[in-house]
Amino acid sequence: MSESRHSWGMLTFLAILAVGFLVGVYQVCTDGPLDQQVALAVLVTLVVGGLWAFARRKRRQSRRRQAAVLSRRPGALVHEVFPDVTLAASARKLGETVELASLQRTGITVSVDARGIALWANGDRPVLDLAAADIDDVTECAGYASILRSSAVRISVHGVSVQVVPARRVDGALWPAARRTTERLVSDVRVALGTGTAGAR
């Protein structure tokens, strides 16, 4: 079974569960008429379907961006990330300008290779390009892509912490990665950099 079919099947299953649960709760609590129950079921289905369509569109955009990035950084490690709320302030400390609101809309692809770590909003040029020689360490930490605390990657550059929150999937997702996934990504980043930070904690 392909990954897309698996995702669609899981979302369909979750939608059916959600519809059944909400209709059941509504009937028990209100003993409402059938037409209202049907309307609620349709509403939930539309919401779940809309989220699924949005996720698929974002993933297609992410894959196109990753392909463009890899054409410029062949062999690089790539992963979709969310901008941490501190990213713009950190970039300013490094003398760079980052439009946080824009990156929150488009998402970011991070690329890592021996030359350093780059953040891309599109495939043309990075919005932030950190040379490997300037990177002191890469660690897992707590971050905020929204109001919710998430597992994040901290890139230390001359005393400045640049943080991003990895997506659950390499090619993007609507929610952040679990801490274990982030820790694996940090390990992979250190190896890809090849600058002696792989053993740092």
Side-chain angles (χ1 to χ4, degrees):
M1 180 181 292
S2 68
E3 186 175 328
S4 61
R5 286 183 179 178
H6 177 75
S7 300
W8 168 242
M10 179 59 70
L11 283 168
T12 302
F13 175 70
L14 291 175
I16 292 172
L17 283 181
V19 169
F21 174 75
L22 290 176
V23 168
V25 169
Y26 181 84
Q27 186 173 18
V28 169
C29 295
T30 67
D31 195 25
L34 181 61
D35 59 342
Q36 292 183 3
Q37 296 176 30
V38 171
L40 179 62
V42 171
L43 176 62
V44 173
T45 303
L46 289 174
V47 170
V48 173
L51 287 173
W52 175 80
F54 178 74
R56 279 183 59 88
R57 181 172 64 84
K58 293 290 288 184
R59 192 168 298 144
R60 284 196 298 268
Q61 293 173 348
S62 298
R63 287 172 177 169
R64 285 196 296 268
R65 181 170 58 228
Q66 287 186 358
V69 169
L70 287 172
S71 70
R72 289 162 173 75
R73 303 281 173 97
L77 168 71
V78 295
H79 197 106
E80 290 303 294
V81 298
F82 303 100
D84 187 87
V85 294
T86 63
L87 183 59
S90 298
R92 282 196 299 272
K93 293 178 181 178
L94 296 172
E96 302 290 343
T97 300
V98 169
E99 296 276 345
L100 183 62
S102 175
L103 296 181
Q104 288 172 330
R105 288 192 301 271
T106 63
I108 309 173
T109 297
V110 61
S111 70
V112 189
D113 56 17
R115 65 192 293 179
I117 300 175
L119 305 181
W120 309 73
N122 55 56
D124 297 332
R125 62 185 181 85
V127 296
L128 196 60
D129 204 352
L130 308 172
D134 296 329
I135 297 173
D136 302 318
D137 200 3
V138 180
T139 56
E140 189 275 340
C141 67
Y144 293 85
S146 63
I147 61 173
L148 300 177
R149 177 172 171 162
S150 303
S151 179
V153 175
R154 175 187 291 135
I155 307 160
S156 300
V157 182
H158 298 317
V160 177
S161 294
V162 177
Q163 293 184 188
V164 291
V165 176
R168 187 180 68 88
R169 297 163 49 107
V170 172
D171 59 352
L174 296 180
W175 49 90
R179 182 176 181 180
R180 184 171 57 181
T181 301
T182 302
E183 289 173 341
R184 284 199 301 267
L185 178 60
V186 166
S187 178
D188 292 343
V189 167
R190 290 170 173 165
V191 171
L193 281 172
T195 57
T197 61
R201 292 294 183 212

